[in-house]
Structures are given as structure tokens and as C-alpha cells.
């Protein structure tokens, strides 16, 4: 089972209800820059900086005390090399053989690059919007079926029509 868990490229962890690590995979070890022997049996406060430990402890308590059995959190964490990484953290409650709650199992995905691309796209769209809207030249965006999708203020001044009059018309 450990070999299978270690083959998962994303960090995987499992903690008991007290917040102590019961296990993890190689990717989690690499993310933290610690060996499994320095993680297993330790609490989140022994392994992580205080702000990250507080985050883990509070979100674990929320999940363990909730009727929901899963939780998805977006967060920013510092990895072993000191780089801040945006992550999408999926956690679930697991039960023991007797049916009682055993703790939490979690996996996280590094979404740093996706977030960077989203920010770049948002910035590019905002630049386009400002350029289009503030252009001294009348501008319109027209669909393939020749319907107005968007017009700027200068276009409206030139044509004498409002934006509402033109959007959707051919």
C-alpha cells in the first residue's frame, strides 16, 4: 500500500483525530523537506510553521466536527525550498474498522502555475478592456454572424446609437 501511495505525484498525508501524522508519501516528504521518520508521530505544530499549523488544526477541527466528510481548501503554503506555493487541498474524514472516525486523509495539488496564468489573463483582459473603452477611435466587436457584441463610447458618439441599441443587432 505504501508503494502505491508513494507513486502518487501529489503530496498525500493522513493524520489521526489529534492531528498527529500517521503517514505520508514521498511527494509530501519532498514538499516539506523532511523524512518520513521526522513526520510520522508528530503533530502539525511539530512539523510546520505556526501559521500553517494553525491553518491545519482549525480546518481539521472544522471537518471533524462537521456532518460533511470532505473539504476543499485553496491556500498558500511555503515548501521546503522556501517558495510559496498556491495549493488546492482536498481532505476527507476516514473511519477505522470499528466505524469510528480515525482522522483525516488529504492530498494537495500545486496550482501555483494555474494561478499565475489566471492572474496574467485577468491583467491582459483588463488592459484590453481599458484600451478598447478609452480608445479615441470608434471600435466594435462583431460576431461571425455580423451581430454587435461590444461597442465603445466613441463608436456610440459616431453612430448616435447607445450601446444597448446596438448589442445583439446585425
Amino acid at each position: 500500500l505504501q508503494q502505491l501511495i508513494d507513486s502518487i505525484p501529489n503530496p498525500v498525508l493522513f493524520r489521526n483525530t489529534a492531528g498527529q501524522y500517521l503517514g505520508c508519501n514521498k511527494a509530501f516528504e519532498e514538499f516539506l523537506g523532511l523524512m518520513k521518520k521526522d513526520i510520522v508521530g508528530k503533530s502539525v505544530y511539530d512539523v510546520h510553521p505556526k501559521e500553517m499549523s494553525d491553518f491545519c488544526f482549525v480546518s481539521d477541527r472544522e471537518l471533524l466536527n462537521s456532518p460533511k466528510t470532505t473539504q476543499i481548501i485553496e491556500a498558500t503554503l511555503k515548501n521546503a525550498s522556501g517558495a510559496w506555493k498556491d495549493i488546492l487541498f482536498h481532505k476527507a474524514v476516514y473511519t477505522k474498522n470499528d466505524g469510528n472516525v480515525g482522522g483525516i486523509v488529504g492530498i494537495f495539488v500545486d496550482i501555483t502555475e494555474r494561478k499565475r496564468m489566471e492572474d496574467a489573463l485577468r491583467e491582459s483582459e483588463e488592459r484590453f478592456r481599458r484600451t478598447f473603452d478609452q480608445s479615441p477611435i470608434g471600435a466594435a466587436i462583431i460576431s461571425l454572424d455580423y451581430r454587435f457584441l461590444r461597442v465603445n463610447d466613441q463608436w456610440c458618439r459616431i453612430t448616435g446609437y447607445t450601446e444597448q441599441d446596438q448589442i445583439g443587432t446585425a
Side-chain angles (χ1 to χ4, degrees), residues 74 113-123:
E74 205 169 297
E113 184 61 19
R114 188 196 84 191
K115 295 283 280 187
R116 188 196 65 72
M117 290 176 8
E118 286 172 353
D119 290 345
L121 177 60
R122 198 171 10 266
E123 186 178 303

Side-chain angles (χ1 to χ4, degrees), residues 60-126:
D60 283 0
R61 292 298 122 219
E62 287 173 3
L63 182 56
L64 289 168
N65 295 320
S66 165
K68 296 190 297 183
T69 57
T70 61
Q71 185 181 65
I72 301 173
I73 300 171
E74 205 169 297
T76 304
L77 304 177
K78 193 184 288 189
N79 70 3
S81 66
W84 287 96
K85 297 292 184 175
D86 293 306
I87 64 158
L88 193 57
F89 196 7
H90 292 255
K91 296 195 295 186
V93 172
Y94 70 87
T95 55
K96 299 184 285 187
N97 289 340
D98 63 7
N100 290 318
V101 172
I104 292 185
V105 61
I107 185 168
F108 55 90
V109 179
D110 183 344
I111 59 169
T112 306
E113 184 61 19
R114 188 196 84 191
K115 295 283 280 187
R116 188 196 65 72
M117 290 176 8
E118 286 172 353
D119 290 345
L121 177 60
R122 198 171 10 266
E123 186 178 303
S124 175
E125 287 173 341
E126 182 56 34

